[in-house]
Amino acid sequence: MKFSVVSSLSITAALMGLSLCNASSLRGKEDDTAAHHRILQNKVGRFLKADIQYENGQARGPEVILSIELEDGIFEVENTGDNGRWAKDLESGIDSIEIGQGATKSGGKINMGGTPPVPRGRNVFDRNLVEEDDSQARSPEQQRMLDELHRQLAVGNKSVLAVRVVHDGSTPSAALSRLDPSYSLAQLAIDVFDEGNTNLVTQYRRCSHDKLNFGRAGTRETNNPTRVTSIANGVVEVKVSTDCSGTCDGVMRNDVNVALQNAFGVSSPNQLADYVMQCHPPGSFGGIAYAYINYWLSIYNDNWCRYTSTQLHEVGHNLGLAHSGEGTAQYADQSGFMGYSYSQLNQQMCFNNAKNWQLGWFSGEVASIGLNDNFIGNLKGQVNYGNGDTTSKVVVKVDDPNSQEAFYVGFNHGILHNINTAEGKNQVTVQTYTGSGYSQSTLLSKMGSGGTFTGVLGSSTVTVTVGTINLTTGLAPVEITYGSVSPPPTPAPTVSESPTNKPTLLPTPAPTV
């Protein structure tokens, strides 16, 4: 993800992450046989969040990993003494943090010894947006720049490198089900890039209506063919000797990055492609995949690197998208790819209303209403964007003037590249979402013909009434009202005056003589 507008700094090498809380129980205890290295001087690095995703139906919830990017890799920050509260207001891939003296680094983790990292400022487009106090709120200008950064992530032409990671068996590998992923390098190229399939490349292009186009990383010759193959067809294979006697993805992740750097003479793998997908052998960690928000790296457990939903979900995190929830479950909105992922190939689905608004792909065919306002008209599915009907809207935003919370209303038309949407198919759906950056959306309602929704936004009521949905035309008539909307005044009746009759002229009687 190179930025041509404003700057092309390695903000690409710092744009990706996820939610909050220290990683511990669900990931298991990473192998600690490696030597413990005490940090002898303060180190400042990029703050990153990552979120381990679990397969649909598993009882275990998502786990959030808080990390720092240093010159020698990405390290999970643990034992901070405050249950992750230090990261509450930080933006992954954008803020910097400082690790103090006395912390110990082992494998892929840094043990803080009970002392949290210190926030050290926010940098966007090479500009320090917050210098004196990391806790201060963003100014409108700072928020505008952050919004622009997120929009730039989600448009343009981007390159992708998919890495098949193989363990060479030279060190303990008890945690791995097998030493290599369950598919070949050639199969990986097909599942990520092939135009005849539904995958990362073809589905992002369809869902964005050609606004976001992923392509293969360029061909490059390796300097170390015994460990790293040359890059061809967008894929590469890397052999590592990571100790996998326990959960080992943290160490393996850094080992792979170092191997790529050495084999191709670069200082970071994101110089090989805008986005890098590491496809690990089965068992290196407990979930199915994770990614860093506003960053370039995503990690997959075996076959999950091949499945459409996992690819779009994890790279969605790279683009700054949070999860899509329903009720208290933060993955449960299955109307789009930021909910659960599925172990299937060629799944055709896109994103929910809130994500569609955030991504900014449907300009000219969205609408927004504020307090004491309404929208009366047709919604159309995002699959029909650009069909010439600009009066029908893909998303209507209901905007609270006193907060950053809003409702997003749209029609989830289940045809074409959205035919496999798993919830709310051919229904009008309503999501709530706060802000414009990384924040979870929540599904509030899904309605068929004649359905209604009533919710409270701020201190006023939002009502949505659905007319008769026409799947032939792809239109869903709705009336959306926020607050009190006075009916238009009844015009005064027009009184038509009767024409005045012409006077009747009687003959003047002749004079009497």
Side-chain angles (χ1 to χ4, degrees):
M1 34 196 177
K2 304 296 189 284
F3 300 108
S4 56
V5 181
V6 189
S7 175
S8 65
L9 75 161
S10 67
I11 201 165
T12 44
L15 285 163
M16 179 177 184
L18 285 89
S19 278
L20 238 101
C21 293
N22 284 342
S24 55
S25 58
L26 294 183
R27 286 174 56 81
K29 190 175 187 300
E30 189 163 284
D31 178 63
D32 283 328
T33 57
H36 287 65
H37 302 285
R38 186 168 296 278
I39 294 176
L40 301 179
Q41 61 183 18
N42 292 359
K43 290 183 177 291
V44 176
R46 188 79 61 169
F47 168 67
L48 297 173
K49 295 179 188 177
D51 193 347
I52 291 191
Q53 183 186 182
Y54 293 92
E55 188 171 2
N56 182 14
Q58 288 189 324
R60 295 180 297 176
E63 178 192 4
V64 177
I65 310 166
L66 304 179
S67 303
I68 184 172
E69 179 192 43
L70 298 175
E71 65 277 2
D72 53 343
I74 299 171
F75 298 89
E76 299 171 23
V77 178
E78 63 177 11
N79 192 18
T80 61
D82 67 349
N83 293 318
R85 289 189 297 276
W86 61 272
K88 180 177 180 294
D89 297 319
L90 300 182
E91 185 90 15
S92 173
I94 295 171
D95 285 310
S96 297
I97 57 175
E98 182 176 349
I99 302 295
Q101 297 180 33
T104 56
K105 184 167 62 175
S106 176
K109 297 182 178 181
I110 293 178
N111 188 321
M112 296 297 297
T115 302
V118 178
R120 286 301 182 208
R122 175 171 293 126
N123 294 278
V124 178
F125 298 132
D126 277 329
R127 290 174 56 183
N128 194 337
L129 298 184
V130 177
E131 295 178 348
E132 61 281 356
D133 181 3
D134 71 279
S135 65
Q136 71 181 62
R138 298 187 191 106
S139 70
E141 171 65 9
Q142 293 165 2
Q143 186 61 53
R144 184 195 67 77
M145 294 184 68
L146 194 58
D147 293 346
E148 177 62 24
L149 181 146
H150 289 145
R151 281 191 291 272
Q152 288 195 40
L153 291 179
V155 297
N157 299 320
K158 315 289 183 182
S159 57
V160 176
L161 177 63
V163 185
R164 183 177 186 265
V165 182
V166 176
H167 194 283
D168 66 6
S170 63
T171 59
S173 56
L176 303 180
S177 302
R178 50 182 288 172
L179 299 181
D180 58 346
S182 307
Y183 47 86
S184 67
L185 193 62
Q187 186 63 53
L188 179 61
I190 291 171
D191 292 332
V192 176
F193 298 105
D194 188 75
E195 288 291 334
N197 292 321
T198 300
N199 50 40
L200 177 80
V201 170
T202 60
Q203 196 63 6
Y204 261 113
R205 183 173 66 239
R206 294 164 185 159
C207 291
S208 71
H209 291 262
D210 297 312
K211 301 282 181 32
L212 179 58
N213 296 290
F214 289 108
R216 303 171 193 263
T219 300
R220 296 182 73 139
E221 292 294 322
T222 180
N223 298 326
N224 185 10
T226 60
R227 307 296 292 183
V228 180
T229 66
S230 295
I231 298 174
N233 296 318
V235 296
V236 66
E237 184 171 280
V238 175
K239 288 183 179 179
V240 295
S241 56
T242 307
D243 184 342
C244 284
S245 54
T247 302
C248 61
D249 63 291
V251 181
M252 183 177 287
R253 175 188 63 227
N254 291 337
D255 288 349
V256 171
N257 286 340
V258 170
L260 289 171
Q261 290 165 201
N262 292 338
F264 298 107
V266 295
S267 59
S268 173
N270 80 307
Q271 294 176 318
L272 302 172
D274 294 310
Y275 295 89
V276 177
M277 303 168 61
Q278 286 192 16
C279 308
H280 285 200
S284 66
F285 61 99
I288 63 177
Y290 62 93
Y292 296 95
I293 298 169
N294 299 332
Y295 197 64
W296 50 266
L297 182 61
S298 52
I299 312 293
Y300 304 81
N301 193 341
D302 197 31
N303 274 314
W304 289 98
C305 205
R306 304 175 58 208
Y307 300 141
T308 314
S309 60
T310 326
Q311 293 171 2
L312 272 84
H313 181 110
E314 299 307 332
V315 173
H317 284 316
N318 292 164
L319 300 174
L321 299 181
H323 289 139
S324 298
E326 183 177 2
T328 59
Q330 69 167 296
Y331 288 102
D333 179 0
Q334 299 176 73
S335 64
F337 275 130
M338 296 313 293
Y340 291 119
S341 288
Y342 309 88
S343 54
Q344 65 185 75
L345 301 170
N346 297 308
Q347 185 177 17
Q348 298 186 69
M349 185 164 67
C350 291
F351 298 97
N352 70 19
N353 306 321
K355 289 351 183 204
N356 283 336
W357 186 281
Q358 180 184 353
L359 290 163
W361 291 335
F362 304 104
S363 59
E365 298 185 19
V366 296
S368 179
I369 63 172
L371 185 60
N372 300 327
D373 196 1
N374 66 353
F375 171 87
I376 301 174
N378 288 322
L379 300 175
K380 65 179 181 179
Q382 64 88 15
V383 292
N384 289 319
Y385 173 75
N387 65 354
D389 174 13
T390 58
T391 60
S392 300
K393 303 304 179 185
V394 174
V395 183
V396 176
K397 178 183 181 181
V398 184
D399 206 357
D400 178 10
N402 299 314
S403 74
Q404 294 192 62
E405 185 182 7
F407 289 173
Y408 297 83
V409 187
F411 175 44
N412 188 27
H413 198 182
I415 61 170
L416 301 175
H417 52 271
N418 194 47
I419 195 168
N420 301 131
T421 180
E423 185 174 8
K425 186 173 185 177
N426 295 325
Q427 294 182 305
V428 172
T429 61
V430 182
Q431 281 88 13
T432 182
Y433 161 64
T434 299
S436 57
Y438 186 81
S439 180
Q440 178 186 315
S441 64
T442 301
L443 176 64
L444 300 177
S445 179
K446 44 187 186 284
M447 297 164 282
S449 295
T452 60
F453 162 78
T454 301
V456 176
L457 181 62
S459 57
S460 298
T461 299
V462 176
T463 59
V464 180
T465 303
V466 182
T468 301
I469 296 172
N470 189 326
L471 296 181
T472 302
T473 63
L475 298 177
V478 297
E479 180 174 354
I480 306 169
T481 302
Y482 182 25
S484 300
V485 178
S486 301
T490 302
T494 302
V495 178
S496 299
E497 295 186 5
S498 301
T500 303
N501 295 327
K502 289 184 178 181
T504 302
L505 298 179
L506 299 174
T508 303
T512 303
V513 179

